């Protein structure tokens, strides 16, 4: 039995057109490889300040996270940070790339197969590190 993990960079996938992803279909895709899923993580931003002041936004985001949970995904939430850049523009940042990479490397010790969902080329080094440890890695982008 192959043991597998799914690691989804939700913010990147959504920006690249994946807003209506079917999380159950992603699990089915992995299971079709003959893999038993033992870990499924979804990394995404959360904006508590906006959710507090915008009930419609909060409802939409809660429903979205609930859909992921119903499909068996563990949420790794990264709070949005706001800051003013050198041009005086308000910038929003909530990047969970390092959390995803560390989790994948640590959890790979107990996995044979890893599905990495992202469109971010920064993860190439992670893919190579996982493959160097003998793990099969597929990408969803």
């Amino acid at each position: 039995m192959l043991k597998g993990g799914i690691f989804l960079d939700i913010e990147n996938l959504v920006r690249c057109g994946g807003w209506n992803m079917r999380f159950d279909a992603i699990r089915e895709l992995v299971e079709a490889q003959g893999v038993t899923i033992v870990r499924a993580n979804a990394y995404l931003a959360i904006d508590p300040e906006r959710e507090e002041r915008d009930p419609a936004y909060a409802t939409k985001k809660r429903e979205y996270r609930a859909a992921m949970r119903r499909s068996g995904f563990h949420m790794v939430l990264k709070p949005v940070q706001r800051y003013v850049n050198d041009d005086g523009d308000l910038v929003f940042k909530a990047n969970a790339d390092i959390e995803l990479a560390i989790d994948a490397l640590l959890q790979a010790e107990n996995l044979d197969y890893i599905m990495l969902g992202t469109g971010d080329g920064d993860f190439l080094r992670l893919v190579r590190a996982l493959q160097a440890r003998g793990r099969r890695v597929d990408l969803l982008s």
Side-chain angles (χ1 to χ4, degrees), residues 7-59:
F7 300 87
L8 300 180
D9 178 2
I10 299 296
E11 300 308 315
N12 187 279
L13 290 169
V14 167
R15 277 194 311 272
C16 296
W19 178 253
N20 290 316
M21 282 185 298
R22 290 190 39 227
F23 298 100
D24 57 333
I26 294 170
R27 290 182 66 92
E28 290 170 12
L29 177 64
V30 171
E31 290 167 343
Q33 311 297 314
V35 173
T36 299
I37 300 168
V38 295
R39 172 58 69 190
N41 287 352
Y43 299 81
L44 65 158
I46 185 168
D47 190 344
E49 182 180 310
R50 183 171 176 196
E51 286 187 24
E52 187 174 312
R53 73 173 189 272
D54 185 345
Y57 175 83
T59 298

Side-chain angles (χ1 to χ4, degrees), residues 66-137:
M68 284 184 252
R69 284 188 188 99
R70 282 192 302 274
S71 293
F73 281 85
H74 169 75
M75 301 292 111
V76 179
L77 303 174
K78 183 78 173 203
V80 170
Q81 296 178 355
R82 292 170 174 78
Y83 64 94
V84 177
N85 67 12
D86 292 339
D87 297 328
D89 299 321
L90 183 62
V91 177
F92 300 85
K93 183 171 175 61
N95 189 326
D97 289 1
I98 193 72
E99 288 86 351
L100 186 155
I102 290 171
D103 287 350
L105 282 170
L106 291 174
Q107 294 174 23
E109 295 300 316
N110 300 310
L111 302 173
D112 305 299
Y113 171 93
I114 294 166
M115 168 68 76
L116 177 61
T118 185
D120 190 339
D122 290 343
F123 285 113
L124 178 59
R125 182 92 169 111
L126 171 63
V127 170
R128 288 184 177 151
L130 293 167
Q131 290 173 332
R133 287 171 173 74
R135 304 311 181 261
R136 178 176 157 199
V137 180

